[in-house]
Amino acid sequence: MTKPVTTPHEAVAPVHDGATVMISGFGGSGAPIELVHALIDQGARGLTIVNNNAGTGQVGLAALIREKRVEKVICSYPRTNDARCFTELYLDGKIALELVPQGTLAERIRAAGAGMPAFFTRTAAGTELAKGKETREIDGVLYVLETWLKADFALVKADRADRAGNLTYRLSARNFGPIMCMAAKTSIVQVREIGEKGSIDPEIVVTPGIYVDRIAHVAEPVQEEALFRAGARYP
Amino acid sequence: MTENLSSFRLTRGQIAWRAAQDIPEGAYVNLGIGMPVACANHVPAGREVTFQSENGILGVGPRPAQGAEDFDLINASKDPVTLLPGAAIVHHADSFAMITGGHLDLAILGAFEVAANGDLANWSTGAARVPGVGGAMDLAAGAKAVWALTTHTDKAGRPKLVQRCDMPLTGAGVVKRVFTDLAVVDVTAEGFVLREMVGGVDVETLRALTGAPLHVPVAPGRLSPPAGL
């Protein structure tokens, strides 16, 4: 199916209050800054955010949190360099945190995309992050039951798209993008370059178009790390 | 007892150097954030080792020259890196499948405490106001072997090699070897076994600084890294 190509603001228009939104990125690499800033402008609130971290500085996810649009963060590591927007609200009891080991987080997202409601993992067995969770001994080893993690929307930064929605990514900015596109009911992807169908060799497609719903064209995407280093603040 | 212990202690760079000497030829290795990252600088010349970064890189190379950084290419510490010839990039679930699937030969991790039964505590002191775990538990659970790098004692002089961890566990029974600023210690079914110790320190002193029984073979090796690291 040919995918619609819009601006970031048009692309995030359907995000509703109370939605669960996955946001790609590992630190600043792969963070869809333009989509997140468009979401701040759009105004949806009461969001549950799934990301590896909880924002850095005063831009992107950190700014979304600072603007009090986020009720809960599901992440593996909220303690990045300058995570004050999250930290202040968390210590005030104004934002909830679900801490998930990083591989378990990735696999819960992948499982949702593949329609698998649960899986057993060795990760966290015997630790406090497995407290209250079902465990099972399989082949003499203790495993923890983890359930899928679904989302209403995913905001993802890719590099190139074709009009069929096939995506490629850039270097380690790939990280959570492909699995978040799979796990969300509606995936919204920002890309630097859009070509006609056939412009991406099928052999190198990373995310096939079946997982992509809306494409925003951002010809010159900014890198979150560059904004952070420049001391930028949004809005 | 040995006096003036501080003059015999290894630097962080020397601890990383010593661990790097033991990385086997051909190994796929993940280096944890902090002290372990420096192991990449000390792999003996001619030994082929492939470093994995949890955010989806197999074949991590050294930090790029200043001005050549690309923040789409970073490691687990969010520092810019390069790709070596033969590198591969995968998404996060595939990257952690390498880790939890037992494909990594080795994870070298920092430690707050290591217990005589191999328990590792390295993600939470229990005192932090905001918790964060990252990939520590996946690495501890998934790698074929886990080595811990740590100082032998904490800043207050308390042992970090202990009978039972007081801090929250990262993984149960996972650590196989510990490299400290005073010794190399294996974790075995019998508990801690001394493999090497720095010169100038006697066994009695080392035992006093270790929070669990330390089995000492007849002739432990001498831990003698190069100076200036």
Side-chain angles (χ1 to χ4, degrees):
Chain A
M1 191 185 113
T2 304
K3 308 293 172 175
V5 177
T6 68
T7 64
H9 286 84
E10 290 164 335
V12 302
V15 178
H16 53 81
D17 288 357
T20 295
V21 182
M22 293 178 170
I23 301 179
S24 67
F26 181 86
S29 67
I33 285 290
E34 287 78 5
L35 288 178
V36 176
H37 287 172
L39 182 59
I40 292 173
D41 297 345
Q42 190 257 28
R45 54 185 61 244
L47 303 173
T48 293
I49 297 295
V50 180
N51 183 260
N52 187 56
N53 305 106
T56 297
Q58 299 290 338
V59 295
L61 174 55
L64 186 72
I65 290 170
R66 188 198 63 225
E67 297 296 315
K68 302 198 168 58
R69 309 294 172 74
V70 181
E71 251 177 37
K72 179 181 181 183
V73 172
I74 302 174
C75 77
S76 85
Y77 199 75
R79 294 166 51 190
T80 46
N81 189 10
D82 191 2
R84 84 182 74 161
C85 288
F86 173 81
T87 303
E88 284 172 10
L89 288 173
Y90 178 73
L91 296 178
D92 279 352
K94 289 180 176 152
I95 193 166
L97 169 67
E98 180 179 341
L99 191 72
V100 184
Q102 199 174 145
T104 299
L105 180 67
E107 190 60 20
R108 289 177 65 192
I109 295 167
R110 197 203 69 82
M116 304 289 175
F119 58 92
F120 284 101
T121 177
R122 176 82 186 128
T123 298
T127 79
E128 66 180 46
L129 291 190
K131 271 193 188 134
K133 290 183 176 168
E134 187 178 335
T135 57
R136 186 177 300 178
E137 197 176 299
I138 299 173
D139 295 341
V141 177
L142 190 69
Y143 293 89
V144 181
L145 184 73
E146 296 282 358
T147 55
W148 57 8
L149 185 54
K150 296 192 273 191
D152 299 302
F153 298 92
L155 307 186
V156 168
K157 183 182 189 176
D159 186 45
R160 295 170 60 211
D162 65 19
R163 290 301 304 275
N166 296 310
L167 305 177
T168 64
Y169 298 80
R170 187 164 182 277
L171 300 169
S172 64
R174 182 183 307 192
N175 59 64
F176 284 91
I179 52 175
M180 286 180 169
C181 283
M182 294 170 66
K185 275 185 233 160
T186 301
S187 62
I188 305 168
V189 179
Q190 67 167 73
V191 296
R192 182 183 57 80
E193 194 178 291
I194 302 172
E196 289 308 309
K197 289 181 185 174
S199 63
I200 299 177
D201 180 350
E203 295 280 9
I204 67 161
V205 169
V206 177
T207 295
I210 192 169
Y211 299 126
V212 174
D213 296 298
R214 302 167 77 89
I215 300 174
H217 188 204
V218 180
E220 293 181 351
V222 295
Q223 162 61 250
E224 184 185 270
E225 184 70 21
L227 290 180
F228 173 64
R229 288 178 178 226
R233 181 188 169 95
Y234 192 88
Chain B
M1 297 285 282
T2 308
E3 306 287 332
N4 285 328
L5 203 58
S6 60
S7 62
F8 301 110
R9 287 184 187 274
L10 270 52
T11 64
R12 290 164 62 86
Q14 287 173 320
I15 298 171
W17 172 89
R18 179 60 193 84
Q21 305 316 299
D22 283 3
I23 301 175
E25 164 75 23
Y28 291 94
V29 182
N30 183 294
L31 301 176
I33 58 176
M35 198 167 9
V37 171
C39 291
N41 303 329
H42 302 301
V43 176
R47 194 178 299 177
E48 187 179 11
V49 176
T50 306
F51 291 107
Q52 194 250 18
S53 186
E54 67 189 18
N55 54 319
I57 309 172
L58 189 64
V60 180
R63 192 184 175 97
Q66 203 168 1
E69 298 95 344
D70 182 335
F71 285 94
D72 280 349
L73 188 59
I74 58 175
N75 63 16
S77 307
K78 319 259 177 357
D79 290 323
V81 295
T82 52
L83 299 176
L84 292 179
I89 290 173
V90 297
H91 65 60
H92 239 82
D94 280 352
S95 183
F96 276 87
M98 289 180 199
I99 293 168
T100 58
H103 305 283
L104 289 183
D105 297 295
L106 184 60
I108 306 180
L109 307 176
F112 298 146
E113 290 176 325
V114 178
N117 64 354
D119 287 359
L120 172 69
N122 79 348
W123 74 280
S124 168
T125 61
R129 296 186 306 165
V130 181
V133 64
M137 288 189 179
D138 309 282
L139 286 162
K144 285 180 196 160
V146 175
W147 295 350
L149 268 53
T150 177
T151 52
H152 211 91
T153 53
D154 68 13
K155 282 175 184 150
R158 291 178 298 239
K160 294 176 77 171
L161 280 65
V162 295
Q163 188 64 39
R164 285 283 177 274
C165 292
D166 285 331
M167 294 180 192
L169 290 193
T170 306
V174 295
V175 177
K176 295 283 185 281
R177 185 169 290 175
V178 189
F179 298 89
T180 79
D181 52 350
L182 295 174
V184 178
V185 176
D186 276 348
V187 183
T188 73
E190 284 73 46
F192 292 130
V193 176
L194 181 67
R195 292 299 173 208
E196 289 181 15
M197 59 191 296
V198 294
V201 175
D202 58 45
V203 167
E204 179 195 2
T205 302
L206 199 60
R207 280 189 162 135
L209 297 173
T210 304
L214 180 65
H215 303 284
V216 181
V218 176
R222 172 79 172 265
L223 174 46
S224 48
L229 294 180

